[in-house]
Amino acid sequence: MSASGATALSQLTEIVGEANIVRDPGPLTRYDIDSKTPSAAVRPGTEEQVAELVKFAGREKLACVVSGAQTKLGIGMPPRRYDLALDLSRLDRLIAYDPEDLTLSAEAGTPLAKIASVLAEHDQFIPLTVPFMARATIGGTIVSGVDSPLRHSYGTARDFVLGMNFVTGDGIAARSGGRVVKNVSGYDIHKMLIGSLGTLGAITRINFRTFPLPRQTRTFVAEFRGSREACEFRNAIVRSALRPRTLEIVSESARGQFLPSQKARAALGDNRWSVYVSFAGDEDVLKRNYKELVATRHSEPGVSEWLSELNPAEERSVMSILSEFPAAILKRFPAAAILKISALGAELPDLASYTASIEMPWAVVMRGLGVAYLAVWPPDASPGSLHMLKQHCGRIFALAGKPPFRQVTLPWCPSALKREIDIWGPLPASFELMKKLKNVFDPGGILSPGRFVGGI
Amino acid sequence: MPQRATIVTPDAPIAQNEMNSRLLHDLEKVLGPRGILHAPEDLMLYEYDGSIETARPDCVAFPRETHDVVEIARLAARHQVPIVGRGAGTGLSGGAIARHGGIVVSFARMNRILAVDAENQRAVVQPGVVNSDLSAAVEHLGVHFAPDPSSQKACTIGGNVAENSGGPHTLAYGVTTNHVLALEIVLPSGEAVRLGSTALDAPGYDVTGLFVGSEGTFGLVTEITVKLTRSPEAVKTLLAIFDSVDDATETVAEITARGITPAACEMLDGWTIRAVEEYVHAGFPLDCSAILLIEADGLREAAEADARGIADVCSAHHARNVRVARDARERDLFWKGRKNAFGAAGRLSPSYYTQDGVIPRTKLPATLRRIEEIGRKYHLRIGNVFHAGDGNLHPIILFDERNEQEFRDTIRAGDEILQYCIAVGGSITGEHGVGMEKDRLMPLLFSEADLELMRRVRGVFNPADLLNPGKIFPTSKGCGEIYVRPRHGPAVAPSA
């Protein structure tokens, strides 16, 4: 906003009012992305204002990055240009909640915590226990594509988002999907906006399917001498009649950072691995699950040293840590690089044993379905440490495409690394289509330019 | 199979008189003489699907490999001829009909299961694989393919992908899109592209999610990577018999309110029950007003607990009787009654028209009453058989296509039902697709801006609108322009 800065500002004021424009450098830093600060932040209060703002930005060729609570701006590349931060936190209304229909519609800036507490009054929830849960908004959660351990039984956002309202890069307010649990009218455009990092549109409203909260859950932890044994336990569970609610394999380095110590475990040696598995159901079901778990252990002789049940407080703490793993790592080690690696379930042993070759501090949480978050961080603040970090990440990216590193991305890492590593990994085969789709939604290239895969 | 009505729209040219002989020659060079059909008597079999619409293609091509599909697309592009993909032709919205003529690409011969990885619960199939054949092929491994449309013994997985098909068990397990991980598609330009990945969370936009349910307007699917679902240890199938429709619908709402998610929850109304019973002899009582067919599955203890809870709710809502299938044979019989409901309706009337509206499930009682009123208003018999658990209605309107007034009233009644669905916050289609049947209703659901964005998205894949033209988006067609002509016999693909 240079030459016509004053005019531009007066137009912004006209749309949202002066109170909803942030220009002071101090408060603006919360919108920083890898040290890039926008010229201004605007806080629209309605969907119409969002459309007006995007239209305005389009006319003035101002690059916009949409955010909610600014908890996950670190994901992705910094924008090529960054003029305006569109802060949707004032769009925080629950539009509709029909407990008996198990559907909910909320504006994008609604905090997850607010939605969770409203749903809890009716013993319902949305299976999004995600990083930065306490502050995150629903829009930011959906658009950044973060996942939850609950995906093991409930799937990801693409499985329970029913529809969306959004504003495209040319300022057009559009809608896709609907508010009923089953619907095939029109193209599922909203699926593509999930995980699109704000490059296709500003999501203003999201419709969800909600789920009944299980009356009872129980979580067990099994401890193993090594990763292969832990993975074999995971395989045995997956092959059995059991239907876990969550199933996570956790390295000792991750467990030791965050989770309460269980019992004396000296006998297990240094390369301990834990499997956290939870179930829902009535007492009979939970008893049967435990029995099967024990039987599973016996069918793999000697693999598990012991299996224990967590008390409700431990269960909550474990669920929270497993959900918050990337956030917890970043809090403790701001210079960490967190790789997201997708493998097939049966390839997890190879992924786990790879960690033995990492020559710097690391920790990994592997979802039983085959998605792993591997964190590595420099032992100290020396420039050499950053170099090591880069080398390690580079080594993994070099393996990308081959099992078990079928897909590799680097959602979180220090800014310096982003200049040297392609954090989105190899281009997908359908990248040309993606580029053309981006052009349909954002012909002027003003929405989060350069943030996503292949510089989209 | 009963004769059913046929709608030919004036804006859809009945087969162009002669296909460019050069194109036929080129197609034959690629596919061999047995790889195409173009004689009028052969084409008749491909002029319709399970809907009440028809249009005759100019020729039918039978690819065997992706490469064949690429060549067909290139030839069609060079000759500027429309292409329409076709699985088994069981669709209910006209999705596989060559509305503007051109080449129908039948995937009947691309019907191989290419890979099964039970350990990782994945399978790779060609689009012509029949839905239930995949589940049968992997049954011994303890897994199955979850989407189960009523036509699953005939419909193909390629067709399921195009329409994002559902089925009774999608209540708990999700529809086709929830089970598709990756696709190989051929664009109308002849370019083959891979979307998605076998592993979860493919980086970049979820183009796979966008593609599934695009009703054949984005590309021709040549390979599909699906998730396989672990088969449950136990299944409990309950048949609850009600003397009042309202009791049955309130039961459905109460089951959900108690936090029970059944694997399936289907309802048949009294008229449909009698039609089905005469045909299938499933043991449904002839004097009741509604039955619910509800299934609970999972771990033995979980299925039993859910079944007990469901039975309690049924009794609390005055179910006359709740029967639990004693064995697999009885379970199959109950399901046979449900899955043959449309066939049963067909025996009682020269024609029938099936709707696919969706409503929030709490609106079930009011919606069923509204449907009854609409039936009375037009003097039409409307049966109801539907996925009650997710509010996906399938009103069956019976009519005689020889009676032009009755036919027009049928279309009007269908539209009024769907307009009511929209008015209560629902949708015009839950699993059958928009196709050429409900395109005119799309503006009731979406703004011009929404539709324009969808058209632009289609343009990314299919810029010249050569792929399945005349579908999804509203044309100028109105009820008054529809006329009827008779039709005979079912759609049958030539044996491969």
Side-chain angles (χ1 to χ4, degrees):
Chain A
M1 271 188 282
S2 51
S4 58
T7 345
L9 190 67
S10 81
Q11 290 184 49
L12 283 180
T13 312
E14 223 165 85
I15 299 170
V16 295
E18 205 170 335
N20 293 306
I21 300 177
V22 182
R23 295 179 67 221
D24 293 341
L28 266 185
T29 55
R30 69 177 291 131
Y31 303 100
D32 281 6
I33 302 174
D34 293 311
S35 315
K36 275 198 178 177
T37 308
S39 310
V42 280
R43 302 168 60 237
T46 63
E47 293 181 348
E48 293 72 28
Q49 287 181 3
V50 176
E52 284 300 303
L53 286 170
V54 175
K55 258 187 213 146
F56 163 80
R59 277 196 308 270
E60 302 288 322
K61 300 192 171 26
L62 302 176
C64 306
V65 175
V66 180
S67 62
Q70 297 83 43
T71 57
K72 292 178 289 294
L73 285 175
I75 298 181
M77 292 299 287
R80 268 194 297 270
R81 299 179 293 124
Y82 192 9
D83 300 307
L84 268 187
L86 290 188
D87 178 336
L88 301 197
S89 59
R90 286 176 64 222
L91 265 74
D92 62 351
R93 281 163 292 244
L94 231 57
I95 304 290
Y97 173 35
D98 303 297
E100 290 178 13
D101 290 321
L102 295 171
T103 56
L104 176 141
S105 175
E107 286 185 328
T110 312
L112 277 181
K114 176 174 168 181
I115 292 176
S117 76
V118 171
L119 288 171
E121 284 171 29
H122 295 269
D123 293 324
Q124 293 183 6
F125 77 119
I126 294 173
L128 285 173
T129 53
V130 292
F132 309 97
M133 179 83 186
R135 285 177 52 219
T137 63
I138 192 72
T141 299
I142 296 304
V143 84
S144 63
V146 288
D147 70 348
S148 156
L150 289 169
R151 71 182 292 173
H152 193 86
S153 45
Y154 294 93
T156 54
R158 86 193 286 277
D159 300 306
F160 46 79
V161 167
L162 304 174
M164 272 184 200
N165 291 25
F166 52 90
V167 174
T168 58
D170 37 11
I172 299 190
R175 197 168 73 82
S176 127
R179 274 179 49 198
V180 279
V181 295
K182 205 168 167 191
N183 188 3
V184 295
S185 47
Y187 301 135
D188 270 0
I189 287 174
H190 53 282
K191 287 218 163 65
M192 220 175 40
L193 271 81
I194 298 170
S196 64
L197 215 63
T199 54
L200 293 176
I203 300 171
T204 52
R205 186 189 293 201
I206 310 176
N207 308 328
F208 288 93
R209 176 180 186 170
T210 65
F211 297 82
L213 267 174
R215 250 167 260 135
Q216 288 188 85
T217 60
R218 205 150 294 168
T219 303
F220 301 93
V221 55
E223 309 260 331
F224 300 89
R225 287 177 188 286
S227 61
R228 196 156 290 276
E229 289 85 350
C231 291
E232 272 165 23
F233 185 61
R234 173 255 169 221
N235 292 347
I237 291 172
V238 167
R239 273 189 231 114
S240 74
L242 296 170
R243 287 188 177 185
R245 180 170 150 87
T246 63
L247 176 57
E248 307 260 306
I249 305 169
V250 180
S251 69
E252 179 61 15
S253 46
R255 196 211 57 77
Q257 293 289 340
F258 309 110
L259 293 172
S261 165
Q262 293 300 313
K263 288 177 189 167
R265 62 183 77 220
L268 290 176
D270 289 335
N271 187 29
R272 292 187 292 265
W273 288 70
S274 311
V275 174
Y276 290 88
V277 54
S278 71
F279 301 97
D282 66 14
E283 202 53 44
D284 285 349
V285 175
L286 292 173
K287 271 188 199 144
R288 168 77 194 288
N289 275 305
Y290 177 72
K291 209 176 102 191
E292 291 293 325
L293 267 192
V294 173
T296 307
R297 182 181 60 172
H298 288 154
S299 69
E300 307 277 338
V303 290
S304 175
E305 293 300 319
W306 47 267
L307 176 74
S308 66
E309 185 184 319
L310 303 185
N311 67 38
E314 289 170 335
E315 185 180 52
R316 273 193 301 277
S317 134
V318 163
M319 264 310 285
S320 157
I321 288 303
L322 294 176
S323 304
E324 296 277 354
F325 176 66
I329 285 283
L330 289 172
K331 194 172 171 197
R332 190 160 301 183
F333 309 106
I338 304 175
L339 294 135
K340 180 180 178 184
I341 302 164
S342 295
L344 294 180
E347 293 161 2
L348 288 175
D350 299 331
L351 185 55
S353 41
Y354 172 85
T355 55
S357 70
I358 302 176
E359 290 158 348
M360 59 195 299
W362 62 273
V364 68
V365 168
M366 307 196 292
R367 309 235 188 278
L369 289 176
V371 174
Y373 291 92
L374 171 63
V376 281
W377 57 91
D380 53 56
S382 67
S385 277
L386 188 72
H387 182 70
M388 257 171 82
L389 193 67
K390 192 190 100 185
Q391 274 194 321
H392 271 291
C393 293
R395 217 170 78 194
I396 292 174
F397 273 110
L399 295 167
K402 296 185 252 329
F405 301 93
R406 286 178 182 260
Q407 280 142 210
V408 182
T409 60
L410 183 51
W412 287 279
C413 71
S415 305
L417 230 60
K418 295 186 184 179
R419 287 191 281 274
E420 307 196 36
I421 284 184
D422 189 352
I423 60 168
W424 293 110
L427 286 182
S430 53
F431 182 65
E432 284 306 312
L433 283 175
M434 292 179 190
K435 251 184 6 196
K436 287 182 190 166
L437 286 163
K438 160 75 177 178
N439 201 39
V440 161
F441 283 81
D442 181 22
I446 60 161
L447 295 177
S448 294
R451 297 260 285 144
F452 201 44
V453 174
I456 282 180
Chain B
M1 182 153 172
Q3 207 181 81
R4 280 185 287 154
T6 292
I7 301 172
V8 170
T9 54
D11 63 355
I14 306 169
Q16 286 154 15
N17 286 342
E18 63 191 68
M19 185 83 178
N20 185 325
S21 63
R22 175 89 205 158
L23 172 56
L24 282 178
H25 173 79
D26 289 348
L27 280 172
E28 196 171 314
K29 243 181 13 201
V30 173
L31 303 168
R34 287 170 44 83
I36 57 169
L37 292 176
H38 54 86
E41 61 273 23
D42 293 327
L43 295 179
M44 272 173 62
L45 297 174
Y46 292 89
E47 67 184 23
Y48 49 84
D49 61 3
S51 71
I52 58 175
E53 324 253 355
T54 68
R56 189 168 298 179
D58 295 309
C59 74
V60 184
F62 296 90
R64 289 182 179 277
E65 303 294 342
T66 300
H67 176 73
D68 295 342
V69 180
V70 166
E71 290 300 322
I72 293 167
R74 281 188 187 149
L75 288 173
R78 192 182 312 151
H79 293 264
Q80 289 294 295
V81 174
I83 330 173
V84 180
R86 184 183 181 90
T90 57
L92 292 163
S93 59
I97 295 174
R99 188 173 203 170
H100 299 309
I103 308 168
V104 160
V105 180
S106 165
F107 287 97
R109 294 176 193 173
M110 284 179 73
N111 61 352
R112 281 178 297 139
I113 297 173
L114 300 173
V116 171
D117 176 358
E119 179 81 33
N120 292 304
Q121 294 170 238
R122 302 283 194 274
V124 183
V125 301
Q126 288 188 317
V129 170
V130 169
N131 174 297
S132 63
D133 286 357
L134 175 58
S135 285
V138 297
E139 193 187 2
H140 67 287
L141 301 166
V143 289
H144 68 285
F145 181 55
D148 63 338
S150 291
S151 57
Q152 72 183 130
K153 289 196 167 127
C155 68
T156 63
I157 296 174
N160 298 163
V161 168
E163 300 294 328
N164 192 11
S165 305
H169 289 86
T170 57
L171 177 58
Y173 293 95
V175 294
T176 301
T177 192
N178 307 111
H179 301 272
V180 173
L181 288 161
L183 297 168
E184 179 189 65
I185 62 165
V186 173
L187 296 170
S189 61
E191 188 191 349
V193 186
R194 287 194 175 269
L195 312 179
S197 60
T198 308
L200 299 175
D201 299 356
Y205 301 133
D206 183 5
V207 186
T208 314
L210 175 69
F211 189 96
V212 176
S214 57
E215 303 193 21
T217 62
F218 284 179
L220 295 162
V221 179
T222 48
E223 193 184 291
I224 305 152
T225 304
V226 298
K227 283 184 200 170
L228 299 173
T229 303
R230 290 259 160 231
S231 300
E233 177 185 66
V235 180
K236 289 273 173 195
T237 308
L238 293 87
L239 186 70
I241 296 147
F242 293 88
D243 292 321
S244 127
V245 171
D246 282 0
D247 281 340
T249 51
E250 279 157 23
T251 300
V252 174
E254 174 73 15
I255 289 171
T256 310
R258 287 217 191 170
I260 301 172
T261 305
C265 180
E266 304 284 304
M267 183 170 152
L268 287 77
D269 70 2
W271 182 85
T272 312
I273 293 162
R274 287 180 279 284
V276 165
E277 189 53 28
E278 258 176 54
Y279 178 39
V280 179
H281 309 297
F284 298 168
L286 295 174
D287 61 341
C288 66
S289 296
I291 59 173
L292 290 176
L293 180 61
I294 312 174
E295 207 155 83
D297 72 7
L299 217 53
R300 198 166 48 247
E301 289 80 356
E304 277 168 8
D306 282 352
R308 275 195 306 274
I310 291 164
D312 286 350
V313 177
C314 293
S315 304
H317 286 86
H318 320 110
R320 182 202 294 181
N321 187 9
V322 182
R323 283 156 55 187
V324 181
R326 278 160 301 188
D327 49 28
R329 197 197 58 82
E330 197 172 28
R331 177 188 179 222
D332 290 347
L333 193 60
F334 288 174
W335 275 111
K336 199 173 159 198
R338 162 62 184 91
K339 294 206 171 184
N340 286 294
F342 296 129
R347 291 173 73 243
L348 301 179
S349 171
S351 305
Y352 63 88
Y353 184 33
T354 308
Q355 296 294 306
D356 182 37
V358 192
I359 51 163
R361 88 199 96 201
T362 49
K363 303 290 195 300
L364 266 179
T367 308
L368 289 183
R369 283 194 289 272
R370 181 76 193 118
I371 291 172
E372 206 186 322
E373 279 167 32
I374 291 169
R376 271 203 305 273
K377 175 175 159 191
Y378 290 106
H379 309 288
L380 290 167
R381 163 61 66 191
I382 307 180
N384 283 293
V385 47
F386 56 94
H387 312 301
D390 40 27
N392 186 190
L393 306 172
H394 292 318
I396 308 171
I397 310 174
L398 303 189
F399 68 101
D400 183 344
E401 77 278 3
R402 289 162 301 196
N403 179 339
E404 199 174 317
Q405 182 59 39
E406 195 168 295
F407 180 76
R408 287 175 196 282
D409 285 347
T410 297
I411 300 288
R412 287 197 188 100
D415 282 5
E416 275 185 39
I417 292 171
L418 294 182
Q419 279 160 13
Y420 185 81
C421 292
I422 294 170
V424 298
S427 165
I428 55 175
T429 173
E431 55 185 12
H432 297 171
V434 176
M436 57 195 279
E437 183 207 44
K438 292 178 282 281
D439 53 358
R440 66 185 178 281
L441 299 173
M442 284 290 274
L444 299 178
L445 213 49
F446 294 105
S447 71
E448 187 41 47
D450 301 336
L451 293 171
E452 183 51 30
L453 180 63
M454 288 183 201
R455 282 192 201 95
R456 279 159 60 196
V457 168
R458 179 183 64 185
V460 165
F461 297 86
N462 177 18
D465 196 16
L466 273 187
L467 203 56
N468 212 3
K471 305 294 168 69
I472 300 178
F473 297 97
T475 57
S476 56
K477 180 177 89 174
C479 288
E481 296 168 88
I482 299 167
Y483 70 93
V484 181
R485 64 175 187 180
R487 171 176 100 204
H488 308 275
V492 178
S495 55

